[in-house]
Amino acid sequence: MQPRQGDLDVAGGPAEAVDHGVVETTIPFRLDALYWSGFHTRVVLALGITWVLDGLEVTLAGALSGALKQSPTLHFSNFEVGFANSAYLGGAVLGAFGFGWLTDRIGRKKLFFITLAVYLTATAATALSWSVASYAFFRFLTGAGIGGEYTAINSTIQELVPARYRGWTDLMINGSFWLGAALGATSAIVLLDPGWIDVDLGWRLAYLTGACLGLVVFVMRIWIPESPRWLIIHGHPDEANAIMRDIERSVEGHVRDRPAATAGEDTPPRAWPKLRLRMRDHTPLSEVVHTLFKVYRERSLVGLVLMTAQAFFYNAIFFTFALVLSDFYGIPADQVGWYILPFAAGNLLGPLLLGRLFDTLGRRAMIAFTYGASGILLALSGYLFEIGALSAKTQTIAWMVIFFFASPAASAAYLTVSENFPLEVRALAIALFYAIGTGVGGVAGPILFGALIDTGSRGSVFAGYLFGAALMLVAAAVGWRYAVAAERRTLESVAQPLAAVE
């Protein structure tokens, strides 16, 4: 039977007769069956740079807090430092939500450049700030660009990386945040040295570091393709098929219309399974809400708990890192960067050494372990801080050990929300849970800890640490009980597309 007008097939073989606007495709299965190649490495480098930029921005915000307080132009108080940092996170929340909606509607690739342009413009403008209000506003816009990047990049990487590598890759990419942190710390060490450069000029040049790095990213992203999965559903099957063939030729030197036969078998290889999808130009918001809060309500609750706990844990502690060192240990502002470097090393090593276990031992076990270990260690180190048993060096070592486990835990939150929902709502789901989690846990955290540090009481700061530890322990229990075992499974088997036709 010949396909009727409007029937489409991107499987490499003859099409079945189907309803108008329905496409049969093998692309999701072929993408997930690929082995790692130079193509995937280039995708990770070009898109994963987002986390490097975020790490740079967050570290600069913490490391430069002392310089901002000493600036003859701005004269920040501890509260204003916390307020500006919360403005950055507030921008990230709104940017993630707005750009996340656009990512699912107009495509992943277009958003790469829109969000990067917002980031570049805003971070360069931050260097020109003339008041507390202008600084906070530009930090808000910088956060909006980074928040938008999270949604577009997370969804694209999930859809292009093969299933067997998805967990480790996602954790490593999120862990690259700490490469940016190390870069930010190094910049702060050099540019905040009063013997080399004026303090009010140094922090401005530090922010220009991010703008220069972002310019390089523009060039790296030019060749990144649109997600074939997104193209199929949104009515561009021919383009999706062409991109898929290019990827296969790049990876294997030929097009994989059929999976290879098992070694030693005389029987011909079986055909790829086909997925039938009804094409649509967009997904109505009402269907998004129904999907997230009714069909996948339990998964939504898991994502919300994981995101909120790690956002409070990370942002409350890291954004006030420099304040603790300066106010309680007397570390000069120009020396804070030296303490951030080992802290960043622990955060980078965590995903590197533990990441593969998320694909072998599984998501549930590792989420529970990393969240639980982070909470317990924070409570213990908080007690030692409260009784004055730690020095600046041992405090930093304690943080390094804590965040060795907290870093993969935080990355697992992004992994969970990006692979547990259908393709049509994936970017918006990432945005929504990032926005809610960061809004509840991230924006409030720096303000709360800034106020606690201002009291000068170690007991008050310890109470804040205990609250963060309790959130992580609750998240560990929720992850163990309710998280989805998505390791080594295709995205479509974890969450069937809304456009799937039986």
Side-chain angles (χ1 to χ4, degrees):
M1 179 183 296
Q2 295 297 318
R4 296 192 298 270
Q5 184 179 7
D7 298 341
L8 296 162
D9 172 63
V10 289
E16 302 267 343
V18 290
D19 295 334
H20 181 77
V22 172
V23 61
E24 286 187 329
T25 180
T26 61
I27 284 178
F29 307 102
R30 290 154 66 188
L31 279 170
D32 278 327
L34 290 170
Y35 285 93
W36 194 267
S37 70
F39 166 79
H40 299 107
T41 300
R42 292 190 296 272
V43 167
V44 166
L45 290 175
L47 300 183
I49 197 73
T50 292
W51 284 263
V52 177
L53 294 175
D54 191 23
L56 174 66
E57 290 297 322
V58 172
T59 305
L60 287 178
L64 299 180
S65 58
L68 292 171
K69 291 164 64 177
Q70 298 170 14
S71 169
T73 303
L74 300 181
H75 301 293
F76 273 50
S77 67
N78 283 343
F79 174 80
E80 287 168 338
V81 169
F83 174 77
N85 290 335
S86 291
Y88 172 85
L89 292 171
V93 167
L94 294 179
F97 193 74
F99 288 125
W101 178 78
L102 284 174
T103 299
D104 277 331
R105 194 175 184 91
I106 69 175
R108 286 42 169 148
K109 186 170 184 176
K110 292 178 182 178
L111 266 295
F112 295 164
F113 296 99
I114 295 175
T115 54
L116 191 56
V118 171
Y119 164 79
L120 279 173
T121 304
T123 196
T126 303
L128 305 177
S129 301
W130 59 90
S131 66
V132 172
S134 64
Y135 178 89
F137 176 69
F138 292 138
R139 293 297 291 163
F140 174 86
L141 294 180
T142 303
I146 290 293
E149 285 269 289
Y150 272 135
T151 59
I153 304 309
N154 261 310
S155 55
T156 305
I157 289 175
Q158 291 291 330
E159 292 162 16
L160 290 178
V161 171
R164 65 174 66 87
Y165 309 111
R166 195 168 59 237
W168 181 75
T169 301
D170 194 85
L171 264 67
M172 278 301 302
I173 290 172
N174 280 278
S176 68
F177 174 101
W178 297 100
L179 291 176
L183 179 60
T186 304
S187 298
I189 290 171
V190 175
L191 297 175
L192 294 184
D193 185 349
W196 185 75
I197 194 169
D198 180 75
V199 65
D200 201 43
L201 178 61
W203 69 263
R204 297 178 188 275
L205 293 177
Y207 278 118
L208 290 177
T209 304
C212 293
L213 182 60
L215 286 173
V216 177
V217 180
F218 261 105
V219 177
M220 296 174 64
R221 290 187 178 175
I222 291 175
W223 62 270
I224 299 293
E226 178 60 88
S227 165
R229 284 174 155 118
W230 184 90
L231 287 169
I232 295 167
I233 288 180
H234 288 80
H236 306 284
D238 292 336
E239 184 179 351
N241 195 41
I243 290 174
M244 185 67 236
R245 290 174 180 271
D246 286 342
I247 292 173
E248 288 175 328
R249 290 190 185 99
S250 173
V251 173
E252 300 184 341
H254 62 87
V255 176
R256 299 182 68 191
D257 287 335
R258 288 151 67 84
T262 303
E265 288 186 351
D266 295 326
T267 58
R270 62 179 177 83
W272 287 106
K274 294 182 181 181
L275 183 65
R276 303 176 72 215
L277 302 168
R278 187 176 299 279
M279 293 182 294
R280 52 171 73 182
D281 58 2
H282 73 282
T283 301
L285 191 57
S286 59
E287 189 173 1
V288 173
V289 173
H290 176 78
T291 301
L292 293 178
F293 298 109
K294 187 171 182 180
V295 178
Y296 290 104
R297 179 169 49 200
E298 185 174 288
R299 296 185 183 187
S300 294
L301 289 173
V302 172
L304 179 60
V305 169
L306 296 182
M307 291 294 285
T308 301
Q310 67 84 24
F312 182 91
F313 190 88
Y314 253 96
N315 294 314
I317 296 173
F318 192 60
F319 270 124
T320 55
F321 182 97
L323 297 180
V324 171
L325 290 175
S326 61
D327 287 21
F328 290 98
Y329 296 109
I331 302 301
D334 61 316
Q335 296 298 309
V336 168
W338 292 110
Y339 292 86
I340 293 178
L341 288 175
F343 183 86
N347 278 275
L348 186 60
L349 288 172
L352 177 65
L353 299 180
L354 301 180
R356 291 194 183 277
L357 298 178
F358 282 79
D359 286 323
T360 54
L361 294 181
R363 308 288 198 254
R364 291 175 58 247
M366 290 305 298
I367 287 173
F369 172 67
T370 53
Y371 271 84
S374 302
I376 293 170
L377 290 172
L378 179 63
L380 177 60
S381 69
Y383 172 72
L384 295 176
F385 168 80
E386 198 268 341
I387 64 174
L390 300 176
S391 64
K393 291 182 179 178
T394 53
Q395 177 71 75
T396 302
I397 292 171
W399 277 331
M400 182 178 177
V401 174
I402 291 168
F403 284 89
F404 175 85
F405 297 101
S407 182
S411 298
Y414 290 98
L415 173 64
T416 298
V417 299
S418 60
E419 68 181 357
N420 280 1
F421 298 97
L423 181 143
E424 297 93 329
V425 302
R426 178 166 294 122
L428 193 55
I430 296 169
L432 179 63
F433 295 113
Y434 170 79
I436 295 175
T438 302
V440 174
V443 174
I447 294 178
L448 172 62
F449 269 74
L452 293 175
I453 292 169
D454 267 342
T455 67
S457 167
R458 288 176 177 262
S460 297
V461 177
F462 176 42
Y465 287 151
L466 284 179
F467 182 69
L471 288 178
M472 294 297 278
L473 291 173
V474 169
V478 170
W480 173 255
R481 176 64 179 84
Y482 297 107
V484 176
E487 57 272 10
R488 301 184 302 279
R489 294 170 58 187
T490 63
L491 291 174
E492 287 71 20
S493 69
V494 176
Q496 188 178 54
L498 301 179
V501 178
E502 297 296 336

